Amino acid sequence: MPEITMLEAIREALFEEMERDPAVVALGEDIGVYGGAFKATEGLLAKFGPERVMDTPISETAIVGAACGMSYLGLRPVAEMQFIDFIACCFNQVTNFAAKSHYRWGAPVPMVLRGPSGGGVHGGPFHSANPEMYFVHTPGLKVVYPSTAYDAKGLLKSAIRDNNPVLFFEHKFLYRRIKEAVPSGDYTVPIGKAVVRRKGRDLTIVSYAAAAHTSLEAAAALAKEDIEAEVIDLRTLLPLDRETILASVKETNKLLIVHEDSRTGGIAGEIAATVCEAAFEDLDGPIARVTGLDTPVPYAPTLEAAFLPSVERVAAAARELAKY
Amino acid sequence: MSAQLTPSQHLELYYFMQLNRQLEERLVRLFRQNKIVGGVYSSLGQEAVSIGTAYALEPRDWLAPMIRNIGTLLVKGFKPRDIFTQHMAKYTSPTHGKDGTSHFGDLKTLHVVSPISMLGDLIPVMTGVALAGRYLGQNIVAMTWIGDGGSSTGAFHEGLNFAATQRAPFVLVLENNQWAYSTPVSRQVPLKNLADRALAYGIQSRIVDGNDVVAVYETSKAAVDECRAGRGPILIEVKTMRMKGHAQHDPAEYVPKEMFEYWKAQDPIARYEKYLTEQKLWDTGKKSEIDARIERELDEDQKFAEESPMPPPETVEQGVYCEGCHTIAADWRRPKKEVMPPAASVEAVWKVADFGGFGAVKPAKSLSSGSGNGPQPSSTEPAKAETEQEVPLRVPFGRGPKDRAFVRETQEKTPQVTRPAKPFHKGHRGKPFGKEPHGKRGRR
């Protein structure tokens, strides 16, 4: 198996799905001739033509609206947000139109909305956001946020084949930084299933996306201190895989949640509540969290580093928790 | 003038308009009896718009109604019972009580997309429908409606602009009913004719008397045909009047009394009845027959709705997601291999007309001449035509003798746009409804 980056894995998924099914079309800003701001769609236009790979005006509402309309005729549009921050421009289409369509009148919207997200690349307040929780709070959507090249390819394929609107977050810090062996043929990773990335007995760390890598690094450091942390990568935020989290907490009896998204209203709160409801008697310590700060993502590298959850912060929180 | 409509189609137009009005009158009565869960958004006085526009569509075509377009749903094939049960939130309603009013649709047979309450968002959605239809080789046209107020939203602009760049087979009916809730159109849009918005998108527009059902139909039919022939999208401004408040709770005291009186004299159903009589398309016997049929159908469907149960509470969590309940399958009307490599493959490069220089810009004169009322030959040509124009080698500054000569030469080379010889809505028979006589509207 060839070693490829997460970006190449995403591109591969798009190529393979468009080859497999002529109902799959792509639209977005600068995705055609230019190949996308991060080159995720490079080569698609040349292969599949302008009917299937549409360069659109700078109109996020039009992009998502048109994708909804296309999906009503049985197409499976994959719409790109140049940066996921710009999804705020089409919030209404996503949350009111696409998300409520099946519940209100039984019309499925098999659409994927994908785009680069997350910080760590000094993008500043408008090119670094993690807006996933607006959408995790919206019934009718699915929210996927992979952390590996293998998962990105398999989950994007699942998202395209899903009959519901799926928001597919691609952490841009990971785009070219991770490389792994990925099968070149067809495979899928199921939506709604978390994975245990590292086994451990002392505490459970639940995380996703770039923060999952931070958590794994912290776990490796902790192992040298004889603290064995189990690391769960959520992969999908909505629907949330509560079973995997609960099963792990019942074994380790301690829970630390790590995410890059801001603290207040982040998914850590939802996970903490879930564990309190379903496994309170299994807890030997308080539920802890290490998250991004309650600020916009700042521009200066020094400030951004202070914003992001670091290996040190995660390890320190785990050490505290392990003491219980 | 109405040669396209057969006598029986004329009567069908009456049937739908009267059905629309009688249905809504019953909804108002039910509202007063506390049997309606939410609001009733009357289209009194606007029936000709819904009926005349939707009647121009074929069964394969798609539409998405706005809140005052219940009539379009009736034309497309929904039954009064669907409207009754929707308003009464009954389990038997198309949405099983999940949503109300005209917020429902049908993907498989009737091709109706459900609206949402936020204005303008159907425009990009129906653009997507139109593009998908073209992609699949279905030769369909998509149509939706927007109010004078809704034309101020960002979604309106993004949607229509995108439709224009794609030359989508899409008809947008701009239903100018003079009032956006309590705000008059003059405070919404600083234009005499909202059709002029089409200029900004380089698309065709029409203006039509919205209280003349035949004129509305003919204009819409021509627009639908144009779009099907690849000359879309088209914006139709329909001038009419909302004869009630925004919804039942609103007595509309902000509307000048004289304005209601002016438009009451233009009532679309009364005008059409007079027309049918004058044209000897019916007699009193035929009218009573249709009216009796409407009464009978409404009695039956209202009874059905009133006797229907409310949705059981345990259904509240059902249907948030499609979990295999639907099969997604496109209706391909062209060979799939056309959209697959190698047939679909292209060289991924841009061709830029005139390199964006002055040669690509039409003189201001020709831009203003296409205003409002008629086809705009220059702007309807696909962008391709521009690539064939000559590229000027220098940018004129316009002061010295050399530059003056250059400007003169460029103007001579640019094809002049001729104004349409007569106003588009030549079929209009009623009295003028604005201060200006017909044919002058659309000129600034």
Side-chain angles (χ1 to χ4, degrees), chain A residues 76-91:
Chain A
R76 292 185 175 276
V78 182
E80 177 176 300
M81 294 285 108
Q82 196 156 79
F83 285 81
I84 208 73
D85 310 53
F86 302 140
I87 202 169
C89 302
C90 54
F91 194 75

Side-chain angles (χ1 to χ4, degrees), chain A residues 206-224:
Chain A
V206 173
S207 191
Y208 60 95
H213 294 275
T214 311
S215 301
L216 282 167
E217 278 183 52
L222 290 165
K224 290 173 193 153

Side-chain angles (χ1 to χ4, degrees), chain A residues 18-20 22-23 25 27 33 45-52 54-57 59-62 65-66 68-70 72-76 92-93 96-97 99 102-108 110 138-142 163-164 238, chain B residues 62 95 98-99 103 105-107 112-116 118 121-122 124-125 128-129 131-133 135-136 138 140 155 158 161-162 165-166 316 318-322 325-326 328 330 332 334 336 339-341 344-346 348-350:
Chain A
M18 289 184 75
E19 259 171 356
R20 184 187 61 83
V25 298
L27 68 163
V33 172
L45 173 67
K47 186 153 189 190
F48 298 102
E51 276 193 286
R52 294 186 70 183
M54 251 184 257
D55 276 309
T56 68
S59 301
E60 284 79 11
T61 291
C68 286
M70 289 171 179
Y72 287 152
L73 271 78
L75 300 187
R76 292 185 175 276
N92 193 42
Q93 284 288 350
N96 278 320
F97 209 100
H102 192 266
Y103 185 73
R104 290 195 310 117
W105 63 290
T138 304
L141 300 176
K142 294 187 178 182
N163 283 0
N164 300 282
L238 184 67
Chain B
W62 286 67
T95 64
K98 297 278 177 57
D99 203 346
H103 289 189
D106 176 44
L107 298 179
V112 173
V113 172
S114 165
I116 63 171
M118 294 74 193
D121 283 282
L122 283 172
V125 171
V129 165
L131 295 176
Y135 176 66
L136 293 164
Q138 294 175 350
I140 58 160
E158 287 199 14
N161 182 61
F162 183 42
T165 62
Q166 290 287 332
V316 63
Q318 289 173 8
V320 178
Y321 293 96
C322 171
C325 47
H326 290 86
I328 311 292
W332 287 88
R334 69 191 281 200
K336 288 181 189 176
V339 300
M340 296 294 262
S345 302
V346 294
V349 291
W350 291 122

Side-chain angles (χ1 to χ4, degrees), chain A residues 236-318:
Chain A
T236 299
L237 304 184
L238 184 67
L240 185 63
D241 184 357
R242 293 183 162 84
E243 291 71 31
T244 301
I245 299 168
L246 290 171
S248 174
V249 169
K250 282 177 183 182
E251 290 299 317
T252 63
N253 309 111
K254 285 167 196 169
L255 175 62
L256 169 65
I257 307 148
V258 181
H259 59 65
E260 182 182 313
D261 186 16
S262 295
R263 195 174 187 84
T264 306
I267 203 161
E270 179 60 29
I271 293 171
T274 300
V275 170
C276 286
E277 282 163 357
F280 190 71
E281 299 295 329
D282 295 297
L283 289 174
D284 279 338
I287 297 172
R289 51 184 171 161
V290 174
T291 67
L293 306 181
D294 279 340
T295 68
V297 185
Y299 178 50
T302 49
L303 298 177
E304 192 181 29
F307 171 92
L308 294 170
S310 62
V311 175
E312 292 71 32
R313 275 169 66 198
V314 174

Side-chain angles (χ1 to χ4, degrees), chain B residues 14-215:
Chain B
Y14 170 78
Y15 163 79
F16 280 125
M17 277 208 288
Q18 193 64 269
L19 181 67
N20 186 356
R21 178 165 295 182
Q22 297 305 321
L23 171 57
E24 290 190 13
E25 283 190 5
R26 284 177 185 241
L27 289 177
V28 170
R29 285 204 291 277
L30 288 165
F31 181 85
R32 291 181 181 146
Q33 294 165 13
N34 248 341
K35 289 178 179 170
I36 302 286
V37 172
V40 173
Y41 300 82
S42 170
S43 71
L44 185 70
Q46 298 174 233
E47 294 91 344
V49 179
S50 289
I51 305 305
T53 49
Y55 202 72
L57 295 174
E58 294 179 14
R60 65 181 150 161
D61 294 332
W62 286 67
L63 67 76
M66 277 308 297
I67 195 70
R68 282 179 229 289
N69 300 121
I70 276 174
T72 68
L73 297 171
L74 298 170
V75 172
K76 219 26 175 132
F78 279 110
K79 297 296 168 204
R81 69 176 52 195
D82 299 319
I83 316 285
F84 281 126
T85 51
Q86 277 289 116
H87 280 78
M88 296 164 86
K90 293 302 177 80
Y91 194 38
T92 51
S93 78
T95 64
H96 310 297
K98 297 278 177 57
D99 203 346
T101 61
S102 60
H103 289 189
F104 63 100
D106 176 44
L107 298 179
K108 288 280 176 243
T109 42
L110 299 182
H111 303 152
V112 173
V113 172
S114 165
I116 63 171
S117 294
M118 294 74 193
L119 300 177
D121 283 282
L122 283 172
I123 296 167
V125 171
M126 295 311 281
T127 299
V129 165
L131 295 176
R134 182 167 70 191
Y135 176 66
L136 293 164
Q138 294 175 350
N139 199 20
I140 58 160
V141 173
M143 181 185 279
T144 190
W145 291 259
I146 189 74
D148 39 293
S151 77
S152 303
T153 60
F156 174 98
H157 166 69
E158 287 199 14
L160 199 49
N161 182 61
F162 183 42
T165 62
Q166 290 287 332
R167 301 279 157 204
F170 169 55
V171 177
L172 179 59
V173 182
L174 204 171
E175 194 165 4
N176 180 357
N177 68 8
Q178 317 297 333
W179 296 91
Y181 207 142
S182 75
T183 308
V185 62
S186 58
R187 282 296 181 96
Q188 289 278 345
V189 187
L191 291 172
K192 173 79 182 146
N193 293 304
L194 306 191
D196 287 354
R197 286 200 185 286
L199 279 175
Y201 308 108
I203 64 171
Q204 298 189 62
S205 67
R206 309 280 190 265
I207 298 177
V208 67
D209 175 358
N211 288 23
D212 177 345
V213 70
V214 177

